[in-house]
Amino acid sequence: MAKLILHKLCKDYGTGKPAVNDVSLEIREGGFLALLGPSGCGKTTVLRMIAGFETPSDGSILLGERVLADASGVVPPERRNMAMVFQSYALWPHMTVADNVSYPLKVRGICGQSYRDKVMEALKAVRLEAYVERRPADLSGGQRQRVALARCLVTAPDVVLLDEPLANLDRHLRQEMEETFREFHARSGATMVYVTHDQAEAMALATDVAVMSEGRLLQVAPPAEIYARPEGRLVGGLIGQGAVMTLPDNGGDHRNLGWDEILALFVDASAGHPTMEMLVRPQDVVIGGSGLPAVVEGVLYEGERYAVRLTLGDGQRLRAYSRTACAEGERVAVIISAGWRL
Amino acid sequence: MAKLILHKLCKDYGTGKPAVNDVSLEIREGGFLALLGPSGCGKTTVLRMIAGFETPSDGSILLGERVLADASGVVPPERRNMAMVFQSYALWPHMTVADNVSYPLKVRGICGQSYRDKVMEALKAVRLEAYVERRPADLSGGQRQRVALARCLVTAPDVVLLDEPLANLDRHLRQEMEETFREFHARSGATMVYVTHDQAEAMALATDVAVMSEGRLLQVAPPAEIYARPEGRLVGGLIGQGAVMTLPDNGGDHRNLGWDEILALFVDASAGHPTMEMLVRPQDVVIGGSGLPAVVEGVLYEGERYAVRLTLGDGQRLRAYSRTACAEGERVAVIISAGWRL
Amino acid sequence: MPQPLAKANSQPRWLFPFVVSFVALLCVLPLARLVAAGVSTFFSGRALDLLLEPAVWSAAVNTLSTSFFGMIAAVVIGGLFALSLTLADVRGKWLMSFLFMLPTMIPPQVQALAWVGMSGPSSPLLKALGIAPPMGSPQPLYSVGGIALLYGVQHAPLVYLSLRAGLLALPRDGIEAAKLAGASPLRVLRDIILPLSLPGIVAGAAIAFVSGVGNFGIPAILGIPAQIYTLPTLIYSRLASFGGSTFGDIAVLSAMIGLMAVAGLRVQERALRGKDYRVIGLSGAAATFRLGRWRPLLEALLWILLFVMLIAPFAALVSASLVPAYGIVLTLKTASFSAYEEILFRQNVTQTAFANSLFLASTTAFGLLVIGVLAGYTLTRGGSRWTGLLSAMIEIPYALPGIVISVAFVLLFAAPLPLLGVTIYGTIWIILAAYFASFLAVGLKPVVSALRQLDPALEEAARLSGASFYRRLFDIIVPLIAPAAGASVILVFLISCNELTVSALLWSAGTQTLGVAIYNLDDSGSYDLASALSVLVVLMVVVLMLLLELVAARLPKGVVPWRN
Amino acid sequence: ENLVLYTSQPNADAQATVDGFMAENPDIKVEWVRDGTPKIMAKLMAEIEAGNPAADVLLIADTVTLQRMKEAGQLMAYKSPEAANYDASLYDADGAYYATKLITTGIMYNTAATMKPTSWADLTKPEAKGLVAMPSPLTSGAALIHAQTLAGVSGLGWDYYKALQANGAVAAGGNGAVLKAVASGEKAYGVVVDYMPIREKAKGAPVEFVFPTEGVSAVTEPVAILSTTKHAEAAKKFVDYVLSENGQQGFLKLGYIPARNGMPVPEGFPARDTIKVQSLDAAAALKSSEADLKTFSGIFGTN
Ligand SMILES: Nc1ncnc2c1ncn2[C@@H]1O[C@H](COP(=O)(O)OP(=O)(O)OP(=O)(O)O)[C@@H](O)[C@H]1O
Ligand SMILES: Nc1ncnc2c1ncn2[C@@H]1O[C@H](COP(=O)(O)OP(=O)(O)OP(=O)(O)O)[C@@H](O)[C@H]1O
Ligand SMILES: [Mg+2]
Ligand SMILES: [Mg+2]
């Protein structure tokens, strides 16, 4: 196991806009990187380059000292000892579930008891022991995804690439699977790269979170840090459910703003100051009390609580949580107890 | 538009266990039903029977007065005026994005300006205006899913079937798409059936939530009701992130339990009473104060807060939220401020 | 309110009966008529006599063994080309796949003669190298192995076309997943690519096998000198001494061939049964393998094969057309274009034959595409118990030697049609009908295997869009199986373009086909004219293929087999 | 009025015959179909079986085949006035068929061959070992008649065929195949019908043809009228024409030996009286043909 290094990686499919643009990233030995970003931002393309399915248009990929891909050539995927869960699962329709899962072992020439044990273990981990003899076409969507998962985890790869591996699973299975990943990671020490749309999942699993947008890497940091200190509007908007507000710049140099400061900025708003952007997370917005006047735009029932969309007097939008239902169009007062200057 | 009625619907693929077993359900005219349930519980199969791809082994399906399927025959899908987002998207690889999306219109003989408008509108709604000329193979996973969505929403179907339509989209797009669904639903008055693993999504969108497990329908109710008054262990475990605890039955007849009552039950625990099950949601578990002693089993960073897994003295498990980090193995005291007798 | 259908079947109610009646009319009825004609033989005990003749059994064994080994050879050669040209990064794909289509166009007997000429005492090549065996030394091709080898050469393009369509439908991510699992390219080939394209391979192998069973030209030239008779040559020799029991004999021998074809079909079904080839999700983007230092080697191998299969026999053909008589050595002095002059400007049969064959071949090719798609759809989607029987009925006519089919058609159609009172005998329509019957199996096979690989959800999505059966067919299914449909059209076109034995008995004045014209010229000793006409036919096909190339950009992807 | 002729003459010959006839009978139009004997017989038999034969007149193969058809009642008896000019052995006494020409089977050799054969017996010499090709009676009607004829010649007989087999001769395909094998030098000697090598030689091919001293067999390409004809008068005219001096002259021009008495031979042939033709009794040959085929197959191991 060694560091996985992406150096100035680019990929252009020839569509005019590069799919991946100048991405440089180091994933430490045995690290667990979550790759976040909006749909179409190039996450899958990055994984495919790491796996060796696409040749980078520029830049290089290294695993420790070993050059996997650069201008002079590429190591073919079969010699990279990696495993991947494809976004499209990529199951082999002519093989049974058991054959699909055991194939990487067979290729490595593993057989006998340890082979059977490993396969059963992997199938148990994804709760598919009862489906060994089925063909992928006769499985439900989530079951297919689990087969892909089992196939990925059955060997001991150096690098594991997971492309939205839990998208089709229910919450319970998801939690179990997250647990499985964590165990697998701890046990095997493999470097994991995990693409997901689910920010909570990323936070829960990863040692580092990377955020991409339109082919570029915006920020890489540990989960708590990226949550607490997002860089720029895009990352701020993506991590957590925060709203980004534009306020006059008070020129202060600390970035964590309290209610008093925020209130002061609102009062200032009319002046011709230069502006700045501030990220406000919904849990920092308290409805009630004597705050800023706002109108309820929409209310979403989330079970545990209501997610409320608010519009302030100056037309800016906010999101807040409330344990009680509000009516649409209701006028309320809000206190913004914390904000983060982007 | 009319009521969609499933009557004692069964489907057996001949695998020994029926995939759908005796499901009876009425979806009111213009209703929005969310279908929840663990992976492999038969959700897709129900949709496929509604669409007409599978013949029920037993039971019938009615749209208003019209029998869509029963023992005597089946109306073929092409005459049902329904639309569906397939879990596997089922895009036509030989057509461009625009062709894929416009196909249902073409089949209906719609052309001219209104045709072009509708296609562009649908593509705009899923943010794919820039990709009209691409082929599905050259799109990212989420983009493909959005094409499937646009194709589904481009016509005015009587019934819209959505099979995990947002599984591959990021949170922002997801919210936008939810908004689109809501608008579409309000505008067209179509009956929508929405399969999802994401309980929050279901709660946010649906007028009714149905929970399935192992082919059977467990409960159908409006979101708030199903959240507040889940029936049985399975529904309780599925909706919200609650933990299910086993406690002695105090024989009381109200189901909402407060801290005092719960505490009393814990004190009682040793007696040979018959037992009952109680659902405890994490937001009702408060760490700190002078409650029951518990040990922190695991802590997950979720950004906004930490999700904490706790074990009580008697080995039962609980989940709680905490805004501050706890250490694994830490001993804490918890108060269970509310519980729901299942 | 629309009437509920009996089943949630995706096919319209008329489809199965339509296909069944088509097959019954064109495939079953003529053969039934033949059996009826021979029925007295059956009861007179002659059938038993025939079955007790060792000659019949040795012919049956020869037929089976030559066809079987021929099939293996065809699968090896065709498979090699299909895999190299669709999956590997060899250079000159366009030219190679273009040329690879052509051996089918060289009539089997010409192909056989060319090979005999190439390898025997008279071989110009061997003579030039000074290693020609002395006059009269045994010819190695006059053997079961030789016949099988030529079957392989002749039928390799059929396997190629059919397999190629299967390879184009492979899911790219499935191959990638296997590579990432650590499988070397060869393992990927063995474990993923070949099993997934099995329907295509099996279809190609079946066509090759059945073509071998029914082939007359090659065993006639390579087999008879070595006393190796196959059932078709045996049937032919029975026809030479036509007697009262001949119909009975043909019927019995045909039944044996029919049984072989059905047995072959069984094997084919067995090979495919219980497996799933439906590609889930997106397919189509073919993966390529980088060959690295193996590339020049493979390319050399492919070119050598092409040389031996196409260029050498074609050169033999050209040289035969340039010398005035057989056995004269071609030199600048002896060469003359008089044969071409004669063929092009003096023989008016040439024009007629070109017109007829083009009409017959294109009508058959496109007609069978329509019928093949419809029949393929019923066979793959309809869960009817009769589909097995139906496929057998489709298979048998192709396996029978053309002459048997044509005898059957004469028997059935020589008299005016009942009710209508007109006769199609003696017109071009009877040839067309016979072509439809014989080549349905060829047109159908690639289409069926492509339908097997199709993700059913793609059609379901179209149904839910409201598309009727016809719309789905046109908009979704046919474009999706375009490579197979293209293969089917091209296969049928090529085969019917130089077809001989079916039309041999069915033609009459004005309805000669190219095959008949070539055969008659050859048979009456005008080898130079026959060769010249064959050369012209090959050139015509090349021109047609080039024309196709011009419109290729507007056809669905993958239809034209030499474009990648 | 359209007369339909089924013939196994080569294309050009068939056309010439028909043209000649139509020149004399402008009111009769003749459509003709030509094919190898086995195929044209198969076609005809199938038509007869279907009850609607298209042909009126046959100009086909050999007397044995027509004898068989006569016995099956498929031929019309017609006594042509021209018969007087023919050897009685060349036509059927009942008038069912008439020989039109003599196509003899002799020996051809490649000019590169070491031995110049003059008799059938030469082919069994060691010089010819493995170098002889002949048509198979299983494929060619002429070859069967040839075998039956030689089998009846004293001094040759079936023993001759055994000797041929022992000398490595192969019985392969039809006459065309033999011609190709010898002309291309694959074999040195061939048993073959006369006109093919003689024509090829004229075109410059390296082959020679000899009429062996023991005599040659001949097929006679007889003409006959089908009993089902609807154009009996025209058909009779056709028969008369083919047998007439003019018609026979036409065959002569095409390079065949006319069957009519007192006609010359084509260029490249020795004088008619130097060619010894061994005759064959059609009725007897027909009866024994199955047995003869078996005998032949037995010798050459085609079983
Ligand atoms: N084969 C291709 N040819 C051309 N463009 C492509 C191809 N594959 C992907 N793209 C484009 O490249 C961009 C990045 O694609 P990629 O699949 O990496 O996105 P992603 O981040 O994985 O998105 P998602 O979350 O939707 O799966 C997209 O805009 C997509 O349209
Ligand atoms: N074609 C089939 N043949 C046999 N069994 C099938 C077939 N399709 C689905 N099943 C089985 O039926 C059950 C229900 O499948 P279904 O696809 O309806 O599940 P689902 O609720 O949609 O699950 P998911 O959330 O994973 O998509 C599963 O156990 C599955 O294995
Ligand atoms: Mg992706
Ligand atoms: Mg599903």
Side-chain angles (χ1 to χ4, degrees):
Chain A
M1 252 64 47
K3 241 185 191 169
L4 181 67
I5 302 165
L6 315 185
H7 183 67
K8 299 204 167 173
L9 212 53
C10 296
K11 177 74 199 181
D12 195 332
Y13 286 111
T15 53
K17 225 177 57 180
V20 171
N21 197 351
D22 201 22
V23 167
S24 295
L25 189 64
E26 276 190 24
I27 307 166
R28 64 164 176 275
E29 201 178 313
F32 194 133
L33 179 87
L35 204 53
L36 280 177
S39 166
C41 72
K43 305 181 293 295
T44 300
T45 308
V46 168
L47 289 202
R48 290 177 57 81
M49 284 191 284
I50 298 178
F53 304 137
E54 306 280 357
T55 317
S57 332
D58 202 5
S60 56
I61 303 174
L62 288 91
L63 188 62
E65 300 290 284
R66 194 170 155 214
V67 180
L68 294 184
D70 67 1
S72 66
V74 286
V75 177
E78 61 267 30
R79 279 190 260 140
R80 294 191 176 195
N81 194 24
M82 298 184 175
M84 177 163 176
V85 174
F86 287 70
Q87 201 167 8
S88 56
Y89 316 153
L91 300 181
W92 299 303
H94 61 297
M95 296 184 183
T96 61
V97 166
D99 291 340
N100 262 286
V101 171
S102 61
Y103 187 70
L105 292 177
K106 264 197 212 133
V107 167
R108 285 171 175 74
I110 298 170
C111 52
Q113 192 57 39
S114 93
Y115 163 86
R116 277 187 295 278
D117 287 352
K118 280 187 182 185
V119 173
M120 272 324 283
E121 190 189 324
L123 283 171
K124 261 200 199 108
V126 297
R127 304 266 174 281
L128 283 179
E129 312 93 299
Y131 295 83
V132 278
E133 285 307 321
R134 287 273 184 98
R135 307 229 171 234
D138 297 342
L139 293 179
S140 79
Q143 288 164 342
R144 289 179 196 168
Q145 190 161 40
R146 285 183 272 158
V147 177
L149 263 174
R151 180 177 69 186
C152 172
L153 301 182
V154 79
T155 52
D158 293 341
V159 178
V160 178
L161 306 169
L162 302 155
D163 200 350
E164 317 241 10
L166 306 180
N168 271 300
L169 302 185
D170 57 289
R171 192 172 276 278
H172 278 246
L173 261 172
R174 241 173 145 113
Q175 277 165 358
E176 279 180 32
M177 292 303 120
E178 285 174 15
E179 204 43 55
T180 310
F181 289 146
R182 214 174 284 113
E183 270 169 32
F184 179 87
H185 184 223
R187 176 158 43 89
S188 71
T191 305
M192 320 257 287
V193 184
Y194 190 102
V195 166
T196 178
H197 283 307
D198 186 335
Q199 188 227 114
E201 214 169 86
M203 297 278 177
L205 283 168
T207 56
D208 290 279
V209 177
V211 178
M212 285 183 72
S213 173
E214 307 205 322
R216 295 189 168 275
L217 192 64
L218 299 182
Q219 190 178 358
V220 195
E225 159 133 6
I226 210 164
Y227 187 83
R229 313 175 62 83
E231 291 298 338
R233 188 189 173 97
L234 269 160
V235 182
L238 216 66
I239 304 279
Q241 315 227 41
V244 177
M245 316 186 68
T246 309
L247 290 176
D249 193 348
N250 64 354
D253 55 357
H254 71 291
R255 300 176 69 179
N256 259 320
L257 307 176
W259 171 227
D260 298 341
E261 285 161 295
I262 295 170
L263 189 62
L265 291 174
F266 270 97
V267 173
D268 242 24
S270 50
H273 275 301
T275 58
M276 62 136 184
E277 292 186 325
M278 181 179 74
L279 176 71
V280 180
R281 295 261 160 66
Q283 68 269 30
D284 297 327
V285 179
V286 186
I287 298 181
S290 56
L292 300 163
V295 181
V296 176
E297 278 275 297
V299 184
L300 272 183
Y301 183 56
E302 283 191 352
E304 173 193 344
R305 59 199 175 187
Y306 294 88
V308 184
R309 280 178 299 134
L310 302 164
T311 315
L312 293 182
D314 57 355
Q316 302 215 56
R317 279 150 185 262
L318 265 183
R319 295 166 49 78
Y321 294 132
S322 151
R323 290 216 53 166
T324 56
C326 326
E328 249 173 69
E330 193 180 330
R331 305 188 157 270
V332 293
V334 293
I335 292 169
I336 302 174
S337 58
W340 169 256
R341 184 208 299 260
L342 287 170
Chain B
M1 255 63 48
K3 239 183 191 170
L4 181 67
I5 303 164
L6 314 184
H7 182 68
K8 300 204 166 172
L9 212 54
C10 296
K11 177 74 200 181
D12 195 331
Y13 285 110
T15 53
K17 226 177 58 180
V20 171
N21 197 352
D22 201 22
V23 166
S24 295
L25 188 63
E26 276 189 26
I27 307 167
R28 63 165 175 274
E29 201 177 315
F32 195 132
L33 180 87
L35 205 52
L36 279 177
S39 168
C41 71
K43 305 180 294 296
T44 301
T45 308
V46 168
L47 288 202
R48 290 177 58 79
M49 284 192 284
I50 298 177
F53 303 137
E54 305 282 356
T55 316
S57 330
D58 202 6
S60 55
I61 303 173
L62 289 92
L63 187 62
E65 300 290 282
R66 194 175 155 208
V67 180
L68 293 184
D70 67 2
S72 68
V74 174
V75 177
E78 56 268 36
R79 282 193 256 139
R80 294 192 176 195
N81 194 27
M82 298 183 173
M84 177 162 175
V85 173
F86 287 72
Q87 202 166 7
S88 60
Y89 316 152
L91 300 182
W92 299 302
H94 61 296
M95 295 185 180
T96 62
V97 167
D99 291 340
N100 263 288
V101 172
S102 63
Y103 189 70
L105 292 176
K106 263 198 214 132
V107 167
R108 284 171 174 76
I110 298 169
C111 52
Q113 193 55 42
S114 92
Y115 163 86
R116 277 187 294 278
D117 288 352
K118 279 185 183 186
V119 173
M120 272 324 283
E121 192 189 322
L123 284 171
K124 264 201 197 107
V126 296
R127 303 268 175 280
L128 283 180
E129 311 93 299
Y131 295 82
V132 278
E133 286 308 320
R134 287 272 185 96
R135 305 221 175 240
D138 298 342
L139 293 178
S140 79
Q143 286 164 341
R144 288 181 198 165
Q145 188 161 43
R146 285 183 273 159
V147 177
L149 263 174
R151 179 176 70 184
C152 171
L153 299 181
V154 78
T155 53
D158 294 340
V159 178
V160 178
L161 307 169
L162 302 156
D163 201 351
E164 317 242 8
L166 307 181
N168 271 299
L169 302 185
D170 57 292
R171 195 173 274 277
H172 279 247
L173 261 172
R174 240 174 147 112
Q175 276 164 359
E176 277 180 34
M177 293 302 120
E178 285 175 15
E179 203 45 53
T180 309
F181 288 145
R182 216 174 283 114
E183 268 168 33
F184 180 88
H185 184 223
R187 177 159 42 90
S188 70
T191 304
M192 319 260 286
V193 184
Y194 190 105
V195 166
T196 179
H197 283 306
D198 185 335
Q199 188 227 116
E201 214 169 85
M203 295 278 177
L205 283 167
T207 57
D208 290 280
V209 177
V211 178
M212 287 183 69
S213 172
E214 308 207 323
R216 296 188 169 275
L217 193 63
L218 299 181
Q219 191 177 359
V220 195
E225 160 135 4
I226 212 164
Y227 187 83
R229 311 175 62 83
E231 292 296 338
R233 185 188 176 99
L234 268 160
V235 182
L238 217 63
I239 304 277
Q241 313 226 46
V244 176
M245 315 186 69
T246 309
L247 290 176
D249 194 347
N250 64 354
D253 55 0
H254 71 292
R255 300 176 66 181
N256 260 320
L257 306 175
W259 171 229
D260 298 342
E261 286 162 295
I262 295 170
L263 190 60
L265 291 174
F266 269 97
V267 175
D268 244 22
S270 49
H273 276 300
T275 59
M276 61 137 184
E277 292 186 323
M278 182 177 75
L279 176 71
V280 178
R281 295 259 160 67
Q283 69 268 30
D284 296 329
V285 179
V286 186
I287 300 182
S290 55
L292 300 164
V295 180
V296 176
E297 279 276 299
V299 183
L300 272 185
Y301 183 56
E302 283 192 354
E304 172 194 345
R305 57 196 176 190
Y306 295 86
V308 185
R309 281 179 297 133
L310 302 164
T311 316
L312 293 183
D314 56 356
Q316 302 215 57
R317 280 154 184 258
L318 264 185
R319 294 166 51 77
Y321 294 133
S322 151
R323 290 221 46 171
T324 55
C326 326
E328 251 174 69
E330 193 181 330
R331 305 190 156 270
V332 293
V334 293
I335 293 169
I336 302 174
S337 60
W340 168 256
R341 184 206 298 262
L342 286 168
Chain C
M1 172 187 153
Q3 278 297 306
L5 283 171
K7 274 192 280 165
N9 216 328
S10 50
Q11 48 184 327
R13 234 181 297 200
W14 57 265
L15 186 60
F16 191 67
F18 167 78
V19 172
V20 168
S21 32
F22 180 89
V23 171
L25 187 68
L26 286 181
C27 303
V28 180
L29 213 52
L31 298 180
R33 182 67 185 80
L34 174 63
V35 172
V39 102
S40 55
T41 312
F42 274 80
F43 293 113
S44 68
R46 166 97 185 120
L48 199 65
D49 287 354
L50 194 67
L51 291 181
L52 288 177
E53 273 184 45
V56 169
W57 288 106
S58 72
V61 170
N62 285 337
T63 310
L64 273 181
S65 52
T66 52
S67 315
F68 178 76
F69 291 114
M71 173 189 82
I72 304 270
V75 168
V76 169
I77 302 173
L80 177 71
F81 270 84
L83 290 171
S84 319
L85 297 184
T86 39
L87 296 182
D89 59 343
V90 294
R91 287 161 294 190
K93 281 183 185 178
W94 185 90
L95 188 60
M96 277 200 246
S97 40
F98 189 91
L99 291 179
F100 195 68
M101 297 288 92
L102 293 174
T104 351
M105 279 320 295
I106 297 182
Q109 59 274 23
V110 173
Q111 179 81 258
L113 278 175
W115 277 64
V116 170
M118 239 169 14
S119 56
S122 57
S123 161
L125 184 71
L126 298 185
K127 271 183 187 159
L129 294 174
I131 51 168
M135 208 185 229
S137 47
Q139 165 56 262
L141 287 176
Y142 292 163
S143 61
V144 168
I147 298 174
L149 177 66
L150 258 90
Y151 281 174
V153 168
Q154 188 85 14
H155 303 143
L158 311 186
V159 178
Y160 168 80
L161 279 178
S162 159
L163 174 56
R164 176 182 174 276
L167 291 176
L168 287 183
L170 285 182
R172 181 179 64 180
D173 57 4
I175 294 174
E176 288 173 349
K179 283 186 185 170
L180 201 62
S184 65
L186 279 181
R187 274 212 85 153
V188 177
L189 190 68
R190 197 189 77 193
D191 295 342
I192 310 295
I193 295 176
L194 291 182
L196 272 181
S197 43
L198 197 61
I201 300 177
V202 169
I207 298 182
F209 178 77
V210 172
S211 302
V213 169
N215 194 308
F216 170 75
I218 291 171
I221 287 182
L222 299 184
I224 293 175
Q227 319 298 2
I228 296 168
Y229 277 82
T230 62
L231 287 174
T233 49
L234 193 66
I235 287 179
Y236 201 78
S237 71
R238 295 288 140 129
L239 287 174
S241 52
F242 214 104
S245 61
T246 305
F247 283 128
D249 290 4
I250 312 180
V252 173
L253 295 176
S254 301
M256 290 178 76
I257 296 180
L259 281 180
M260 282 180 199
V262 171
L265 194 70
R266 272 284 117 85
V267 173
Q268 179 190 347
E269 270 164 12
R270 169 77 38 103
L272 292 179
R273 196 171 44 205
K275 303 219 179 80
D276 216 318
Y277 303 94
R278 289 170 293 170
V279 172
I280 303 163
L282 279 180
S283 69
T288 49
F289 288 91
R290 287 191 205 89
L291 292 172
R293 65 204 158 89
W294 295 102
R295 187 164 80 170
L297 231 79
L298 181 67
E299 283 168 347
L301 177 65
L302 296 179
W303 279 113
I304 289 172
L305 280 174
L306 268 179
F307 176 82
V308 175
M309 288 174 63
L310 175 71
I311 299 173
F314 188 67
L317 208 54
V318 171
S319 65
S321 72
L322 292 178
V323 297
Y326 214 86
I328 298 177
V329 181
L330 178 67
T331 61
L332 272 183
K333 239 187 270 153
T334 53
S336 89
F337 284 95
S338 60
Y340 289 93
E341 253 177 78
E342 172 80 21
I343 280 291
L344 285 174
F345 304 116
R346 280 198 282 282
Q347 297 261 347
N348 53 9
V349 64
T350 314
Q351 225 174 7
T352 325
F354 268 107
N356 285 336
S357 274
L358 276 182
F359 166 75
L360 286 170
S362 46
T363 315
T364 313
F366 288 100
L368 282 187
L369 175 65
V370 173
I371 294 178
V373 169
L374 292 176
Y377 193 87
T378 358
L379 288 178
T380 46
R381 298 294 142 89
S384 171
R385 284 175 292 136
W386 301 107
T387 49
L389 189 63
L390 196 62
S391 344
M393 288 300 124
I394 290 170
E395 200 87 353
I396 290 174
Y398 183 61
L400 293 179
I403 192 135
V404 173
I405 294 294
S406 51
V407 166
F409 267 73
V410 175
L411 283 173
L412 189 65
F413 288 108
L417 297 175
L419 302 181
L420 296 177
V422 293
T423 174
I424 62 167
Y425 186 59
T427 67
I428 202 160
W429 304 111
I430 190 172
I431 306 184
L432 191 66
Y435 278 10
F436 268 63
S438 310
F439 302 143
L440 178 53
V442 182
L444 184 66
K445 283 250 150 64
V447 171
V448 166
S449 53
L451 285 172
R452 282 216 170 94
Q453 286 177 305
L454 208 59
D455 181 359
L458 296 178
E459 195 194 349
E460 288 170 356
R463 296 188 79 184
L464 211 57
S465 300
S468 63
F469 175 70
Y470 307 97
R471 291 277 330 223
R472 299 205 291 276
L473 216 54
F474 275 106
D475 296 342
I476 310 294
I477 296 174
V478 172
L480 283 176
I481 61 169
S488 150
V489 167
I490 289 173
L491 275 175
V492 175
F493 185 90
L494 292 181
I495 291 182
S496 42
C497 209
N498 83 45
E499 186 289 324
L500 163 62
T501 50
V502 175
S503 49
L505 300 194
L506 298 176
W507 72 279
S508 55
T511 65
Q512 291 96 334
T513 61
L514 283 171
V516 167
I518 294 175
Y519 172 82
N520 278 342
L521 287 171
D522 191 59
D523 194 47
S524 52
S526 313
Y527 312 113
D528 50 341
L529 299 191
S531 308
L533 189 51
S534 296
V535 170
L536 290 178
V537 173
V538 174
L539 290 183
M540 172 195 78
V541 170
V542 170
V543 168
L544 285 179
M545 281 161 67
L546 289 173
L547 284 181
L548 191 57
E549 177 71 21
L550 288 185
V551 295
R554 259 174 267 152
L555 294 173
K557 230 172 109 190
V559 173
V560 181
W562 52 88
R563 280 174 74 98
N564 278 295
Chain D
E1 207 183 10
N2 279 2
L3 196 64
V4 179
L5 166 70
Y6 277 14
T7 179
S8 58
Q9 290 176 289
N11 271 0
D13 303 5
Q15 189 64 53
T17 310
V18 166
D19 287 347
F21 173 71
M22 289 202 294
E24 283 192 13
N25 301 277
D27 50 332
I28 304 175
K29 208 174 149 336
V30 182
E31 272 180 19
W32 54 272
V33 173
R34 83 95 15 214
D35 220 321
T37 304
K39 285 188 188 161
I40 205 109
M41 284 305 295
K43 182 179 170 86
L44 183 62
M45 287 302 151
E47 289 174 6
I48 292 174
E49 170 76 24
N52 192 25
D56 299 303
V57 187
L58 307 178
L59 181 51
I60 234 175
D62 54 82
T63 43
V64 179
T65 305
L66 290 191
Q67 176 70 25
R68 189 198 334 264
M69 289 185 71
K70 175 196 167 189
E71 287 173 14
Q74 289 156 345
L75 298 183
M76 189 175 94
Y78 165 57
K79 300 239 158 92
S80 171
E82 301 281 352
N85 298 312
Y86 286 77
D87 248 26
S89 67
L90 288 178
Y91 60 91
D92 176 49
D94 301 326
Y97 53 83
Y98 298 87
T100 62
K101 56 181 104 150
L102 297 177
I103 301 175
T104 67
T105 294
I107 299 173
M108 77 180 282
Y109 59 89
N110 192 301
T111 47
T114 48
M115 173 188 71
K116 314 279 175 221
T118 57
S119 70
W120 292 115
D122 285 348
L123 296 186
T124 57
K125 287 185 179 162
E127 290 98 315
K129 191 159 181 65
L131 292 176
V132 178
M134 59 184 168
S136 162
L138 294 171
T139 314
S140 154
L144 176 60
I145 289 187
H146 178 71
Q148 290 180 310
T149 310
L150 288 203
V153 174
S154 61
L156 293 173
W158 289 115
D159 284 344
Y160 171 65
Y161 276 97
K162 285 180 192 145
L164 275 182
Q165 198 274 334
N167 205 29
V170 289
N175 284 291
V178 172
L179 176 75
K180 283 179 196 168
V182 177
S184 68
E186 189 191 325
K187 298 283 174 187
Y189 310 101
V191 176
V192 76
V193 292
D194 52 24
Y195 67 93
M196 283 188 173
I198 289 175
R199 277 186 202 176
E200 289 301 297
K201 185 189 167 194
K203 287 193 229 160
V207 293
E208 286 288 349
F209 185 78
V210 290
F211 292 85
T213 51
E214 296 97 331
V216 292
S217 70
V219 289
T220 55
E221 200 145 61
V223 65
I225 304 173
L226 277 180
S227 58
T228 47
T229 179
K230 291 188 196 78
H231 311 108
E233 284 319 304
K236 287 173 184 169
K237 279 188 190 154
F238 186 84
V239 171
D240 289 344
Y241 167 76
V242 171
L243 298 180
S244 73
E245 177 120 30
N246 268 351
Q248 292 285 306
Q249 202 70 45
F251 290 139
L252 181 62
K253 270 195 224 123
L254 292 170
Y256 299 103
I257 305 171
R260 193 181 167 103
N261 293 333
M263 302 284 295
V265 291
E267 214 172 302
F269 282 69
R272 170 82 186 259
D273 44 7
T274 66
I275 305 171
K276 188 166 151 200
V277 177
Q278 297 282 357
S279 66
L280 181 71
D281 174 21
L286 173 60
K287 276 200 201 77
S288 67
S289 65
E290 197 136 320
D292 291 342
L293 267 180
K294 283 232 166 73
T295 313
F296 186 93
S297 307
I299 294 170
F300 280 86
T302 29
N303 276 338

